[in-house]
Amino acid sequence: QVQLVESGGGLVQAGGSLRLSCAGAGRTFSNFAMAWFRQAPGKEREFVAAITWTGANTGYEDSVKGRFTISRDNAKNTVYLQMNSLKPEDTAVYFCAADRTYERSWTPRRVYEYDYWGQGIQVTVSS
């Protein structure tokens, strides 16, 4: 069974940090771009960050640039999201996702470009 499993979420005060992990199982994701999306209550799922299969290129949503860092360890089939200087508006369920296209050289940002999704993990930032 192919799975993406997120971990590392939780409750943190504004200004704090969290590191999310997303471990793949059932197949290798090392040849696919990976991304993080988030969804707040009553809002659509939105792009947060993505990384190409080699790790050479990354992309970020404007509001998280300079605060969040996406990285990957292909040997561990895992992608990470380091979140610093967290704000209450970062509160959401965070999802990791795997690109549907093999070895894409750029970082897609649309939900429909990803075909494997984790179950999501809650991140809550208190003010």
Side-chain angles (χ1 to χ4, degrees):
Q1 182 180 3
V2 178
Q3 286 185 309
L4 291 171
V5 180
E6 300 99 338
S7 61
L11 173 65
V12 64
Q13 287 189 331
S17 298
L18 283 175
R19 188 194 194 205
L20 303 183
S21 298
C22 172
R27 56 161 276 188
T28 181
F29 292 97
S30 59
N31 295 100
F32 296 86
M34 299 292 291
W36 289 93
F37 287 76
R38 65 187 180 187
Q39 188 166 17
K43 294 188 176 182
E44 293 188 351
R45 193 168 298 189
E46 67 172 2
F47 171 79
V48 176
I51 187 168
T52 52
W53 67 282
T54 62
N57 294 310
T58 57
Y60 297 92
E61 192 268 330
D62 285 347
S63 70
V64 308
K65 283 181 181 177
R67 301 188 298 122
F68 290 11
T69 303
I70 188 170
S71 62
R72 67 189 298 159
D73 184 339
N74 285 341
K76 295 182 178 180
N77 213 23
T78 299
V79 64
Y80 305 96
L81 186 68
Q82 178 67 43
M83 305 186 293
N84 299 328
S85 302
L86 282 160
K87 304 175 181 180
E89 51 264 44
D90 294 318
T91 296
V93 176
Y94 283 70
F95 300 87
C96 69
D99 191 0
R100 64 173 61 248
T101 300
Y102 185 78
E103 294 188 355
R104 198 189 318 236
S105 60
W106 49 279
T107 51
R109 299 185 175 218
R110 306 297 184 184
V111 169
Y112 67 83
E113 293 173 302
Y114 293 85
D115 60 357
Y116 285 105
W117 292 84
Q119 79 286 355
I121 192 162
Q122 179 69 45
V123 171
T124 303
V125 184
S126 63
S127 57

